[in-house]
Amino acid sequence: MTIRPLTNLIRLTAALLCLLGAAVAQAGDTADTAVLIDSLMQELREMKMRELAMQQRLDESDRSAREDSLRQAVQQQRIDSMRLTTVGTPVVVQGDTLLRFYASLGGETPAVRAQGVSSRVLKLGKSLSIEIDSLYVFDGELTTDVMGGETVLLRVSDMDAMWNGTSRHDLARQYAEVIRLEVEKLQAEYGLKAKLRGLVLAVLLIVLQIVMFKLTSMLTRYLRNRLQQAFRDGRLKSLVVGSYQLVSAQQTMRIALIATRLLQALLVLTQLMVSLPLLFSIFPETERITWQIINYVYQPLRDIVVSSIRFLPSLIKIAVIVWVVRWLLRLIRHFANDIENGRLRVDRFYPDWAQPTYQIVRIFIVAFSLVVIWPLLPGSDSGIFKGVSIFVAALFSLGSTASIGNLISGIIITYMRPFKIGDFVKIGDKEGIVIEKNTFVTRLRDIKNNIVTVPNNNILQMETVNYTAPTAEGEGTIVHSDFTFTYHVPRATVEAYLLEAAGRCTLLMKEPPPFVLYTALDDFYTHYEINAYTTETHRLPDVYSELHRHIVDVFAEHGLDPTSNHFVAVTQQGKEN
């Protein structure tokens, strides 16, 4: 830039002043002429000073313009080198990338600018009333703005234009067109017309669902009426397996009615699982709820299917293990039954050991199978599964101390064989016939027909008498009864009467014959004990009753009172001897 026109004007003014001075001098007024010339010269000097100041400002402006141009060139070169490696921050609206920001503006980073533009465009597109023609471009001094009515949607700076290799105005017009298309798309989904259309579809869907509910209710009511009519007509039969009535006709009807209610609930649930996602998918605002509802059903089903497919090889292994264990237990049980029935004999192994031994072997085989199967189960390596297992084991160990003691005692008693089912035994102070002998307790039926339960652990700690064991070996059990008689009754007479009474008993054995023992000699009487063999050990109370009855009868027939008399001799001096 130059000030050549102003310089020429100053020079022309100086020439005119010289001519004017010459003319005035010729006119002859020297004083006035000098004043006028001085005034003109002063103005001329001021004009030269202004010329110099303007020239200086113009020089500075030219230098600043050259520096700005150089700086812009450097910036453009730097931006061109960074464009290949800089991705930029995208402006995303519902999954659509509209544009990218590379530069900051007014202290806002590209990310903040992109987020603000996205929210403003989305809000504008979702508004119920918007005119597409209200989008326009406004050129400002520093930025060019894309306006949506009175709202600034985004600002475009010179730096944005440099990043995109175009002018600021052209870039703003491109952005405005992209935003206009996105707003039209949002209006198609969220606009007033879309809302009215969705409302109509929602009403139709609700009405259809109500009709489906009615039809489902009518169907289940019809099925219930038919079932009740079939029950009244006797067409609904009982479920019989062989000679056992598993389910009666009335129970069958109740089960069928419950099944109809479950069917109704299943149909209603299925309809809701279809209609609710459809209802929520009509409006874009609630479409996310649709996918949540679908995931509530789909995700568990998918997990079940995937887990089942992954578990299939382990399931095959478990099936093979179970099959092998099942046939192995069948083989062992077959041998146990043969030993118990006497078809198979094993030296020093009693038949009554067969089933207990089978149960013990079965427990060990099943336990070993569980140890093998356990790692194959889904979730067996999870912390929760392990914690529950430890908790159950702790409960079992803490709460089953007495049970474990009775279990071990039951096993010991089984192999000790102190008695069998049907034996008449005495355990401690309890007498009775053994009617049950299981792993934990033994049950007796006493002479009063009461059931007495004795823990197996107590049996090992108490004295046990088996009255039936000698009978099983063919010797019989000896029953006995004590009597006392005074010395004035002959010993042979008492012995004969006792043997006669024993001989009359039908529950006593004749061979070996009964015999009498003299157990004690007191000061006033003799102790006699009648002994006899019997095989009716399960009727010992009846045996003793019959023996005592015949003894009383025999002594009564012979006029002998089986009692002891005490005699006291008194001397003349009144002293007792």
Side-chain angles (χ1 to χ4, degrees), residues 193-251:
K193 294 181 179 180
K195 291 293 187 296
L196 294 176
R197 183 174 61 254
L199 183 61
V200 172
L201 291 176
V203 171
L204 291 177
L205 184 59
I206 293 174
V207 172
L208 178 61
Q209 183 59 68
I210 294 175
V211 173
M212 293 297 297
F213 285 161
K214 294 291 185 181
L215 293 176
T216 303
S217 179
M218 293 173 59
L219 175 62
T220 53
R221 191 182 304 113
Y222 171 76
L223 292 176
R224 286 196 292 269
N225 292 335
R226 291 296 301 270
L227 288 171
Q228 293 173 354
Q229 185 64 37
F231 176 73
R232 288 192 294 267
D233 296 342
R235 290 182 285 115
L236 202 61
K237 304 296 182 182
S238 302
L239 180 60
V240 179
V241 179
S243 60
Y244 174 69
Q245 181 179 336
L246 184 61
V247 181
S248 65
Q250 187 175 5
Q251 291 174 337

Side-chain angles (χ1 to χ4, degrees), residues 22 41-42 44 87 105 143 154 201 225 299 314 415 484 534:
M41 293 302 294
Q42 182 66 27
L44 180 61
V87 179
L105 178 62
T143 61
L154 66 85
L201 291 176
N225 292 335
Q299 190 67 28
S314 299
Y415 290 96
T484 59
T534 182

Side-chain angles (χ1 to χ4, degrees), residues 73-130:
V74 172
Q75 288 180 350
Q76 186 66 51
Q77 184 179 3
R78 186 182 303 163
I79 290 172
D80 292 339
S81 62
M82 295 172 59
R83 188 179 288 114
L84 298 177
T85 58
T86 303
V87 179
T89 303
V91 177
V92 181
V93 178
Q94 288 193 340
D96 297 334
T97 301
L98 306 183
L99 51 98
R100 293 180 181 273
F101 284 125
Y102 298 90
S104 301
L105 178 62
E108 294 183 349
T109 62
V112 176
R113 293 179 65 191
Q115 184 178 1
V117 173
S118 298
S119 61
R120 289 190 290 271
V121 172
L122 186 61
K123 181 179 180 180
L124 182 66
K126 288 185 176 182
S127 61
L128 297 179
S129 59
I130 180 65

Side-chain angles (χ1 to χ4, degrees), residues 245-264:
Q245 181 179 336
L246 184 61
V247 181
S248 65
Q250 187 175 5
Q251 291 174 337
T252 303
M253 185 191 69
R254 291 179 180 175
I255 294 173
L257 292 177
I258 294 174
T260 57
R261 294 190 182 95
L262 293 177
L263 177 63
Q264 181 180 6

Side-chain angles (χ1 to χ4, degrees), residues 493-504:
T493 302
V494 175
E495 183 176 354
Y497 292 165
L498 291 176
L499 293 176
E500 180 182 355
R504 294 183 183 183

